Amino acid sequence: GAGVSQTPSNKVTEKGKYVELRCDPISGHTALYWYRQSLGQGPEFLIYFQGTGAADDSGLPNDRFFAVRPEGSVSTLKIQRTERGDSAVYLCASSLVGGEGYTFGSGTRLTVV
Amino acid sequence: AQTVTQSQPEMSVQEAETVTLSCTYDTSESDYYLFWYKQPPSRQMILVIRQEAYKQQNATENRFSVNFQKAAKSFSLKISDSQLGDAAMYFCAYRSAPGNQFYFGTGTSLTVIP
């Protein structure tokens, strides 16, 4: 596509529920990144994919967070047993190898009530 | 780990005037990139300007320019002839070279007064 697409745009869930956030990168971009932006903060790195594999998942806060990219294109960020502290905007970005053309999506605003 | 500090949570500027947003960073690396991103209410991070650390010349993009002081680890953004559409959150960011993740500051909210 022309840009990085993230769905849903907004998601409200109850504490303890499971959620999935989807990212559709720019066609041809092999690198994909997830960031989390809490209220009043800058985005913080979660995970980086090169192709299908997670090349760096050092930013995932705990084992409730997991991400996949099975075919090297669309990625899904999965959060189990959601907590109120998980409320944030989750941003996805994609790029060519080496970081060229690094482009962000508009994010998913997750609210855990 | 690298850290990026933006000490101005909010700034305002009159339309057509000039404003400077401040950013400092901490790193032990010699090669890296610095960026300014704009985030409007749509939430998408939009690249404003980029600077390679090995380049001494300050980057310029139309009305946007930077003052890059490598020794002082300072990277400020100057917006000239401010327009109403410039109103947004502005984030300073660092990325290693080579590197894959950005380190962002906490942002500066810019208001443009008509």
Side-chain angles (χ1 to χ4, degrees):
Chain A
V4 177
S5 176
Q6 291 189 247
T7 54
S9 179
N10 294 282
K11 174 73 175 177
V12 180
T13 191
E14 292 181 347
K15 179 176 177 294
K17 298 290 188 183
Y18 168 83
V19 296
E20 290 189 349
L21 311 180
R22 176 188 167 108
C23 173
D24 200 338
I26 290 174
S27 179
H29 280 192
T30 57
L32 186 144
Y33 317 80
W34 284 99
Y35 289 80
R36 179 169 71 173
Q37 185 176 16
S38 300
L39 189 63
Q41 301 296 316
E44 293 180 311
F45 170 79
L46 294 176
I47 187 169
Y48 154 59
F49 286 91
Q50 182 57 50
T52 60
D56 182 356
D57 65 357
S58 62
L60 294 178
N62 52 59
D63 61 7
R64 295 187 299 105
F65 288 75
F66 190 70
V68 296
R69 194 184 185 200
E71 298 178 357
S73 178
V74 171
S75 175
T76 304
L77 178 65
K78 308 181 181 195
I79 310 174
Q80 298 177 323
R81 304 183 303 281
T82 52
E83 300 176 357
R84 292 197 178 87
D86 299 334
S87 296
V89 173
Y90 289 82
L91 291 166
C92 177
S94 70
S95 77
L96 297 168
V97 173
E100 292 302 313
Y102 212 113
T103 304
F104 285 85
S106 295
T108 294
R109 181 181 299 281
L110 176 66
T111 303
V112 182
V113 298
Chain B
Q2 287 71 26
T3 58
V4 178
T5 302
Q6 293 180 250
S7 59
Q8 305 157 315
E10 298 178 346
M11 292 283 285
S12 62
V13 62
Q14 290 286 145
E15 194 176 3
E17 296 297 310
T18 296
V19 64
T20 298
L21 308 184
S22 301
C23 173
T24 59
Y25 60 95
D26 190 21
T27 185
S28 59
E29 298 174 337
S30 59
D31 200 11
Y32 49 87
Y33 301 99
L34 294 166
F35 304 80
W36 279 97
Y37 274 89
K38 171 183 177 182
Q39 188 179 42
S42 68
R43 300 195 303 243
Q44 186 178 15
M45 301 289 281
I46 301 167
L47 178 63
V48 174
I49 199 164
R50 156 181 159 157
Q51 174 81 43
E52 289 88 348
Y54 65 87
K55 290 186 178 179
Q56 292 188 344
Q57 186 172 5
N58 290 323
T60 299
E61 288 287 342
N62 300 314
R63 298 183 295 107
F64 300 87
S65 61
V66 298
N67 183 3
F68 173 47
Q69 302 290 326
K70 191 172 184 179
K73 295 180 182 173
S74 171
F75 183 62
S76 61
L77 173 70
K78 185 171 84 171
I79 306 174
S80 303
D81 186 25
S82 297
Q83 301 176 359
L84 296 177
D86 295 334
M89 284 292 293
Y90 285 81
F91 290 94
C92 179
Y94 173 105
R95 197 175 92 211
S96 302
N100 300 296
Q101 64 167 289
F102 282 92
Y103 297 88
F104 286 91
T106 52
T108 296
S109 177
L110 179 66
T111 300
V112 180
I113 303 165

